[in-house]
Amino acid sequence: MATSDSSSSPSSSSGSDFADPNPSSDPDTSSDRVQSILESLNLSQPSEVSDGSHTDFTGDDDEEEEVVVVPANGNEGGASNGSSAREDVAGTRGEEAGEHPVEMEAGEEPPSPTSSGGYDGERGSSGGAASTYKADNASEGEIREGNNADGEEHEAAWLPGKRHVDEDDASISWRKRKKHFFILSNSGKPIYSRYGDEHKLAGFSATLQAIISFVENGGDRVNLVKAGRHQVVFLVKGPIYLVCISCTDETYEYLRGQLDLLYGQMILILTNSIDRCFEKNAKFDMAPLLGGTDAVFSSLVHSFTWNPATFLHAYTCLPLPYALRQATGTILQDVCASGVLFALLMCRHKAVSLAGAQKASLHPDDLLLLSNFVMSSESFRTSESFSPICLPRYNPHAFLHAYVHFFDDDTYVILLTTRSEAFHHLKDCRIRIEAVLLKSNILSTVQRSIAEGGMRVEDLPIDRLLRQKQSSTSNQRQDTDVSVGTGGPFGLWHFMYRSIYLDQYVSSEFSPPVTSHRQQKSLYRAYQKLYASMHEKGLGPHKTQYRRDENYTLLCWVTPDFELYAAFDPLADKAMAIKICNQVCQRVKDVENEVFLQGASPFSW
């Protein structure tokens, strides 16, 4: 079994306490060293580690699963064992330039690529995609073996803030958590941990730092190590190290993206000028600077289980009548003309309207991190606030100043400026905005929209021929005593539509049978894997992909204008599923003025 090609990078941690000043050039010695360090983490023993030697290495593996190391580009070797009953029509690449498909044809099946276009989690796995409900059945915050008296797993409500602070790396319960996040410095000092007390995890953080430094001192970079069911994902950002240890069967690309967002959330609070503190003092302790932000980070981590914006890199809007959204946009644009950089009217994590100064660009990830910071900080709700905030994608080196005011429990305005003395001006702007909102009854309309929810698959209109076909199909299935569940036409359970030009997405409300949080999280995991395989580096983007397993029928369609991800009943007919996807696209186009913020070009990136 060959080690993967990790991307070479110059060492950035040669002065670290835990770095080996004379790293061995012998590949077996290097691999054994990192392997011994991993064993101290009490994870399953890895059969391979990335040490930068680019040579063959074979280790003992007691696990049933094949264990490999992913290279820097995140692509794993190996093929699916094909054990699950699954139908793949994966990924034709758009090779002809200028091809703009308007409608999918049910009778055409794109050929499969020579390399695997399947889920990253399937490769080398004995369970395949059929484990979507089973492998992820337990909440990430729960102990996997924890069942109630009836043998059914308990679904606890999520609570913000630090959890299980009494645990440390010696606690059995801590080691059984399905997903950990760590932030540490290049000297091994803990900065943040999802579970447990950071101070009690100092030794564990030192072990993680030793792995990173050892590989870097060999002139290489460690990105991912697989140890049994565990994935250990590393992200190095200068003197800041971020690590995720997960056995949730999520893809490497998505876990690395989560670490990127965690780093972005930290930069939003501190800016990356924190690097200069480490240049002056390598043992600088930045944990006190993040005091009181546990709720912010835990809220972001929780959003990884329910918010499509974390992997689609797009934002969503609250459904509103076009005229009201335009009225809101007009007053926000007037405010920006008076010296405000960005003006955002938000409802929870959804945008009501946005406006920006000329030539100012706001990345969807910045909008995600900003809304998470505001929604998870209780101090913003109690009074109007004026706080320094950094937008990592806009300018990670400097603070902006944010005026935040909540109109009610859900709706708030954020005004961003470069001037630290602009509080009173921004307050006057807020008063102008509030007057327009009250005069136009926009706040009451926002509350009504929240109560009504978004698009529903049950309400999807279908043409007469499809309706007749659905009736006959329903009768046939009743004759054969086969249940197709509930949901929309022809077993449509859920869909997500992303407008590439607008960097916005719209998703349907969850409908039966996808009702519980775990089922919804499982479906999002399936979407994440589908997204990763469609955009796989070196192979994508693909144009279409169709999958069937025991849990869903999944269909993805990517064009130059939009991306569509849809989940159907596992028994759904393929030809009809394709036709229903065309109906979904048409329906979104019919209501685009209500579900999208039109003319948002200043926010393109």
Side-chain angles (χ1 to χ4, degrees), residues 175-242:
R175 294 181 180 272
K176 289 181 178 179
R177 304 293 171 195
K178 293 188 68 177
K179 193 174 184 181
H180 288 271
F181 287 99
F182 305 96
I183 305 177
L184 56 143
S185 69
N186 58 1
S187 63
K189 290 184 180 293
I191 298 172
Y192 168 77
S193 172
R194 183 185 185 187
Y195 299 113
D197 186 344
E198 288 84 0
H199 298 290
K200 296 179 181 179
L201 297 171
F204 191 87
S205 296
T207 304
L208 295 175
Q209 185 269 348
I211 295 174
I212 298 172
S213 295
F214 180 75
V215 175
E216 284 189 340
N217 286 331
D220 214 321
R221 180 180 64 196
V222 60
N223 294 295
L224 173 90
V225 175
K226 277 199 170 183
R229 290 187 59 206
H230 289 83
Q231 295 185 88
V232 187
V233 181
F234 300 87
L235 179 64
V236 176
K237 293 287 189 178
I240 307 298
Y241 297 163
L242 299 98

Side-chain angles (χ1 to χ4, degrees), residues 103-341:
E103 183 171 348
M104 283 194 294
E105 296 294 337
E108 295 181 1
E109 293 188 7
S112 298
T114 54
S115 60
S116 173
Y119 296 166
D120 287 359
E122 295 167 4
R123 299 172 188 170
S125 163
S126 59
S131 63
T132 306
Y133 275 131
K134 300 175 183 176
D136 295 335
N137 209 21
S139 171
E140 293 162 8
E142 297 175 355
I143 301 174
R144 291 193 301 275
E145 292 79 7
N147 297 338
N148 60 21
D150 298 327
E152 303 211 350
E153 296 175 23
H154 174 65
E155 184 173 338
W158 177 79
L159 298 174
K162 173 71 75 174
R163 303 177 65 186
H164 310 289
V165 292
D166 56 327
E167 297 180 349
D168 57 30
D169 56 329
S171 306
I172 296 178
S173 57
W174 184 88
R175 294 181 180 272
K176 289 181 178 179
R177 304 293 171 195
K178 293 188 68 177
K179 193 174 184 181
H180 288 271
F181 287 99
F182 305 96
I183 305 177
L184 56 143
S185 69
N186 58 1
S187 63
K189 290 184 180 293
I191 298 172
Y192 168 77
S193 172
R194 183 185 185 187
Y195 299 113
D197 186 344
E198 288 84 0
H199 298 290
K200 296 179 181 179
L201 297 171
F204 191 87
S205 296
T207 304
L208 295 175
Q209 185 269 348
I211 295 174
I212 298 172
S213 295
F214 180 75
V215 175
E216 284 189 340
N217 286 331
D220 214 321
R221 180 180 64 196
V222 60
N223 294 295
L224 173 90
V225 175
K226 277 199 170 183
R229 290 187 59 206
H230 289 83
Q231 295 185 88
V232 187
V233 181
F234 300 87
L235 179 64
V236 176
K237 293 287 189 178
I240 307 298
Y241 297 163
L242 299 98
V243 182
C244 174
I245 300 178
S246 170
C247 58
T248 58
D249 199 32
E250 293 170 277
T251 66
Y252 162 78
E253 291 84 0
Y254 187 55
L255 293 175
R256 184 180 175 88
Q258 293 174 0
L259 293 179
D260 265 319
L261 288 173
L262 277 176
Y263 178 74
Q265 191 72 78
M266 187 184 72
I267 295 302
L268 183 139
I269 300 171
L270 299 176
T271 79
N272 66 2
S273 60
I274 194 69
D275 294 356
R276 293 198 294 268
C277 297
F278 287 97
E279 292 174 0
K280 297 178 181 178
N281 179 11
K283 298 182 182 296
F284 176 73
D285 184 8
M286 64 173 290
L289 298 179
L290 294 174
T293 60
D294 285 334
V296 177
F297 286 99
S298 67
S299 175
L300 179 63
V301 170
H302 179 60
S303 72
F304 298 152
T305 67
W306 66 265
N307 194 343
T310 58
F311 66 93
L312 289 178
H313 303 290
Y315 64 94
T316 188
C317 295
L318 186 75
L320 281 178
Y322 178 73
L324 290 182
R325 200 186 304 276
Q326 285 295 99
T328 306
T330 300
I331 182 60
L332 293 185
Q333 196 62 58
D334 290 344
V335 165
C336 287
S338 67
V340 176
L341 184 63

Side-chain angles (χ1 to χ4, degrees), residues 271-272 389-391 395-400:
T271 79
N272 66 2
I389 282 176
C390 173
L391 298 181
N395 182 359
H397 307 293
F399 278 118
L400 297 175

Side-chain angles (χ1 to χ4, degrees), residues 32-42 206-208 210-211 214:
D32 291 342
R33 173 69 182 274
V34 179
Q35 183 173 331
S36 66
I37 296 175
L38 279 171
E39 289 175 355
S40 70
L41 303 184
N42 209 19
T207 304
L208 295 175
I211 295 174
F214 180 75

Side-chain angles (χ1 to χ4, degrees), residues 5-65:
D5 292 333
S6 297
S7 296
S8 296
S9 63
S11 171
S12 62
S13 306
S14 57
S16 165
D17 291 346
F18 296 90
D20 189 342
N22 297 305
S24 171
S25 59
D26 177 34
D28 289 338
T29 303
S30 301
S31 300
D32 291 342
R33 173 69 182 274
V34 179
Q35 183 173 331
S36 66
I37 296 175
L38 279 171
E39 289 175 355
S40 70
L41 303 184
N42 209 19
L43 301 174
S44 302
Q45 182 178 355
S47 65
E48 293 188 24
V49 291
S50 173
D51 63 355
S53 59
H54 310 303
T55 58
D56 291 345
F57 171 76
T58 303
D60 296 330
D61 182 19
D62 297 331
E63 300 291 331
E64 295 181 358
E65 300 178 349

